[in-house]
Amino acid sequence: MADKPKIYRNSGVRRIERPKSLAQTVLSHLRTSIIHGDLELGQPLSERQLADDLGVSKTPVREALAQLRNEGLVLIYPQRGAFVFTLSAREVHEICEFRSAVEAAALKLAISRNPETFAADLGAVVTEMTAAQQRGDQRAYLELDTRFHATFLEHCGNSYLRDAYERNVGKIAALRTHLATKPLHTKMSFREHRQMLETVRQRDLAATLAILDVHIGRTRETYSAEIEDIAAADKEVAEAM
């Protein structure tokens, strides 16, 4: 009778993590460049130039651009090529409406289901935000700003809300970077993050929602309905200065 194969459990051997493919590496790099504003809103994207800059062939660049199109971070037009996304004032308003609906729902669930851990995790993010502010590291601060709001979704216990938010978080983060150039925007935003932390600690849902509404509303109010393209409008203002 053949011996049964031995089954080893809890061997202590860690699973080997597979390295990212070249296409995934290029995708991550381009996504980060758009979110951080290294690639500006509305900027044309040449496959050949990107491939040369990154030291890769055009194939992984093409694959990355296709995925970024699915994420809404890149626009691809026949006969014209690829561009970093840009938004009309109306689309900014729609993103703000989306954020208000999803983040408010997630906030309500997080406070009701997991208030202590939720408050602790928000507090940890605000501590890091304070440190980033003190050392003048705006890029780190903006990444933490994104993480602050993502914490609502991490603790809401609803995968549908979380998945819907994740599909748009790149565009939201890129818009956040764009708005960071506005006078006093980051300063006021940081104050509201700290206020939300305190009201979450107090489990005061109504007060937290009121602050969140003002917080998101500033983005909506920054651009008037007359502005067709925020990237083009901001460029005109910069050139006039």
Side-chain angles (χ1 to χ4, degrees):
M1 184 175 180
D3 293 335
K4 292 183 178 179
K6 294 181 179 180
I7 300 176
Y8 295 93
R9 294 186 176 90
N10 301 321
S11 66
V13 177
R14 297 180 62 185
R15 183 184 295 272
I16 296 175
E17 295 184 6
R18 295 182 179 180
K20 289 184 178 180
S21 69
L22 185 57
Q24 289 174 320
T25 300
V26 172
L27 171 62
S28 178
H29 178 84
L30 293 180
R31 182 190 292 119
T32 299
S33 296
I34 293 172
I35 289 173
H36 287 167
D38 299 326
L39 294 172
E40 298 179 354
L41 299 186
Q43 179 176 332
L45 300 171
S46 163
E47 287 184 9
R48 182 181 299 279
Q49 186 61 55
L50 288 172
D52 289 345
D53 291 344
L54 297 175
V56 299
S57 69
K58 291 170 63 176
T59 299
V61 171
R62 187 177 300 114
E63 293 175 1
L65 292 177
Q67 176 58 33
L68 291 171
R69 177 183 57 186
N70 293 337
E71 297 176 16
L73 293 176
V74 166
L75 303 174
I76 299 178
Y77 301 102
Q79 311 305 320
R80 290 180 56 196
F83 299 80
V84 176
F85 85 99
T86 188
L87 298 168
S88 66
R90 177 180 178 180
E91 289 170 315
V92 172
H93 288 198
E94 289 178 355
I95 284 181
C96 290
E97 289 175 345
F98 170 80
R99 286 190 61 194
S100 293
V102 175
E103 291 188 30
L107 184 61
K108 180 179 179 180
L109 292 173
I111 289 178
S112 65
R113 292 176 173 175
N114 202 13
E116 293 183 2
T117 305
F118 178 42
D121 285 355
L122 280 182
V125 176
V126 170
T127 297
E128 291 187 54
M129 294 173 86
T130 303
Q133 283 277 71
Q134 290 173 346
R135 66 177 184 268
D137 189 343
Q138 186 182 62
R139 179 164 293 191
Y141 175 84
L142 292 173
E143 290 176 348
L144 291 163
D145 191 335
T146 296
R147 194 196 306 173
F148 181 92
H149 292 274
T151 304
F152 297 6
L153 284 300
E154 291 170 4
H155 289 277
C156 74
N158 187 302
S159 62
Y160 288 93
L161 286 174
R162 186 175 61 250
D163 291 347
Y165 195 78
E166 286 180 353
R167 283 195 294 272
N168 294 278
V169 71
K171 186 175 287 188
I172 293 169
L175 183 59
R176 181 175 289 122
T177 298
H178 189 71
L179 288 168
T181 62
K182 305 297 178 184
L184 300 179
H185 182 84
T186 300
K187 181 178 180 180
M188 297 173 69
S189 174
F190 182 46
R191 181 178 64 191
E192 289 155 0
H193 284 112
R194 289 181 297 181
Q195 290 172 342
M196 281 188 277
L197 171 61
E198 290 307 311
T199 54
V200 167
R201 284 172 170 167
Q202 297 164 13
R203 304 187 188 183
D204 189 338
L205 176 62
T208 310
L209 288 174
I211 299 167
L212 179 65
D213 186 60
V214 171
H215 184 72
I216 297 175
R218 188 180 308 105
T219 301
R220 183 169 53 240
E221 294 165 3
T222 298
Y223 299 100
S224 69
E226 290 76 23
I227 295 176
E228 179 61 27
D229 185 303
I230 64 175
D234 288 349
K235 184 178 180 181
E236 289 176 3
V237 170
E239 290 174 347
M241 295 178 64

